[in-house]
Amino acid sequence: MHTDPSVYELAHLAGGPQRVAETALIALRDLGALTVTGPRVRATAPAPPARHPVEAVLTAFCSRGRGIPAAIAAVREAPETAEIGHRLRALGLLTRFRHRPTRAGRRLLAEAKSAAAHPAYVLQGPSAIEDRLLRGLISGTRTPTVLDRLKPRPPALDRDLNGNFGSGQDFGSFGGSGSDS
């Protein structure tokens, strides 16, 4: 059994490659290795040594300044991030096809949450980021899934004869009885 998961393994279990990228960006910003100015991110000049290969990917990609969506996508699609998923599947913590946590993976996440040894954004995602601007920028990088496209939409509103908006289903005033008088 895997007893001491890294921050990025926990992030992958909690939210997949997207969460790994978000965690790397926030962690490096907190360390001072990255500066976030508006929607752009840039590695600082004397960059501290990377503690993990995912961090090395992000600092190398942002050496000349990049947009946050591009930086997140670069880490999300990097082979180093894919390697984390392969390792978790080999350990039996992720399912093989749908890439969701197994029972052992969920148990590991629950233990990590109760231990509270890692920042909240690792397990909860961008909703745990206190900086509202950064939270919005990172949340805007999420790729829509098939399930997002299948969510029910509110019914369309149409104007009735009086100019009021209604449900569009009231046809009582049209047509009358059908006889010409």
Side-chain angles (χ1 to χ4, degrees), residues 76-141:
R76 185 179 58 227
E77 297 162 8
E80 291 82 356
T81 304
E83 179 58 34
I84 296 170
H86 295 309
R87 193 168 43 253
L88 292 172
R89 277 191 294 286
L91 292 169
L93 299 172
L94 276 181
T95 61
R96 181 178 224 89
F97 297 108
R98 296 185 67 186
H99 309 291
R100 297 204 175 166
T102 61
R103 182 178 295 163
R106 290 189 302 271
R107 191 176 320 120
L108 188 63
L109 283 172
E111 290 170 4
K113 188 177 265 189
S114 67
H118 302 288
Y121 58 81
V122 174
L123 301 173
Q124 297 172 11
S127 63
I129 302 171
E130 292 181 17
D131 182 356
R132 194 177 69 170
L133 178 62
L134 183 62
R135 181 176 57 235
L137 290 168
I138 289 176
S139 295
T141 64

Side-chain angles (χ1 to χ4, degrees), residues 17-76:
Q18 176 76 22
R19 183 73 51 83
V20 171
E22 295 165 353
T23 299
L25 184 100
I26 299 164
L28 289 173
R29 184 205 62 155
D30 290 348
L31 282 173
L34 294 177
T35 56
V36 177
T37 308
R40 300 202 45 89
V41 61
R42 184 180 186 128
T44 57
R51 302 170 299 174
H52 193 275
V54 169
E55 293 178 353
V57 168
L58 186 58
T59 54
F61 185 76
C62 296
S63 63
R64 302 189 73 187
R66 301 289 182 135
I68 289 178
I72 295 277
V75 174
R76 185 179 58 227

